Amino acid sequence: MYVTTPVETAVDLAELGHNRAELVDFLTRSYTGAKGNDILAEDMAAMPPRRRAAASRLLDGVVTGTASKLELRAVRAILAELGGTEVTVLVNAKVGGYRFDVVIPEARVLVEIDSYAYHAADGERRDSRTFAGDRWKANAATRRGWTVLRYADVCVDAVPDLVGEQVADTVRYNLAHRPRWRRDGLLRTDHPFWWWHPLFPAFR
């Protein structure tokens, strides 16, 4: 039995005149999580060219790949503030072996959305190893010439417009000044911490 993918279903419904806002919400919910965009890419690749083009039009401006409602709210705020700035906004993409919540490659800007439970030093779902890993992750990106911006969940909830404004301003500044980045001389610690850190043998 053939089962259609979410994006195929959305294209079918769009051709029948279904409400676009509902289809956008459906696609956002269907392709969530760190691997959401990878799955979407696979589903798109399997479509015939004409339907793939229709799917691309339908997906224009749709945020996929977020791991939580918090991330989705932050990404939408960032996109709103970026306006017509010609950049690519990737969600849950990898840089230097690490996955970041938002990656804006042209400006070398990375954004992390930190919930207290997972990222605070005394968060209920944290331990010392993951807390340490977060620091190595940001350090490695900074040494490679990326600007790392981090926002707490309470800030995304309370002032999403200010989060978006700061990210957009940083993007525009970096585009104008083109930060330098290291192409050589990288240290062992510039690679994912689970490759070398003695606290993380289970990751190897």
Side-chain angles (χ1 to χ4, degrees):
M1 181 177 67
Y2 178 73
V3 178
T4 61
T5 64
V7 69
E8 286 179 299
T9 301
V11 169
D12 289 339
L13 291 173
E15 290 175 349
L16 293 172
H18 201 83
N19 181 274
R20 187 178 189 279
E22 292 181 359
L23 295 179
V24 166
D25 182 62
F26 169 70
L27 288 167
T28 297
R29 287 185 287 106
S30 297
Y31 294 102
T32 58
K35 299 292 181 66
N37 285 326
D38 295 337
I39 296 169
L40 174 58
E42 291 174 5
D43 290 350
M44 291 278 286
M47 298 175 75
R50 185 187 67 80
R51 290 178 62 76
R52 191 183 311 131
S56 295
R57 290 191 296 272
L58 182 60
L59 284 161
D60 184 37
V62 177
V63 178
T64 56
T66 56
S68 65
K69 291 181 179 179
L70 182 69
E71 281 185 16
L72 178 60
R73 194 175 304 122
V75 172
R76 284 176 171 165
I78 291 167
L79 290 172
E81 291 294 332
L82 282 171
T85 306
E86 292 293 326
V87 291
T88 308
V89 178
L90 305 175
V91 179
N92 276 308
K94 285 188 175 182
V95 171
Y98 292 107
R99 194 176 294 277
F100 289 85
D101 295 335
V102 179
V103 177
I104 306 175
E106 297 89 343
R108 300 188 71 78
V109 169
L110 303 171
V111 181
E112 288 282 82
I113 309 302
D114 298 339
S115 66
Y116 186 86
Y118 284 97
H119 295 274
D122 58 347
E124 62 188 45
R125 300 186 183 182
R126 297 290 290 169
D127 61 34
S128 60
R129 295 190 308 166
T130 48
F131 182 75
D134 266 357
R135 274 70 204 155
W136 285 111
K137 172 182 173 180
N139 293 347
T142 300
R143 283 176 46 80
R144 289 173 182 265
W146 291 81
T147 301
V148 182
L149 301 176
R150 305 188 74 147
Y151 300 97
D153 49 2
V154 292
C155 297
V156 174
D157 284 333
V159 287
D161 54 328
L162 298 183
V163 170
E165 179 184 54
Q166 188 175 70
V167 173
D169 184 70
T170 304
V171 165
R172 295 185 185 109
Y173 180 88
N174 282 8
L175 288 174
H177 296 86
R178 297 295 176 185
R180 297 175 59 190
W181 61 288
R182 304 178 69 126
R183 296 175 185 269
D184 54 19
L186 294 178
L187 303 174
R188 177 173 53 172
T189 52
D190 293 316
H191 299 285
F193 58 80
W194 52 87
W195 291 5
W196 52 266
H197 203 298
L199 289 177
F200 299 91
F203 286 79
R204 293 194 282 275

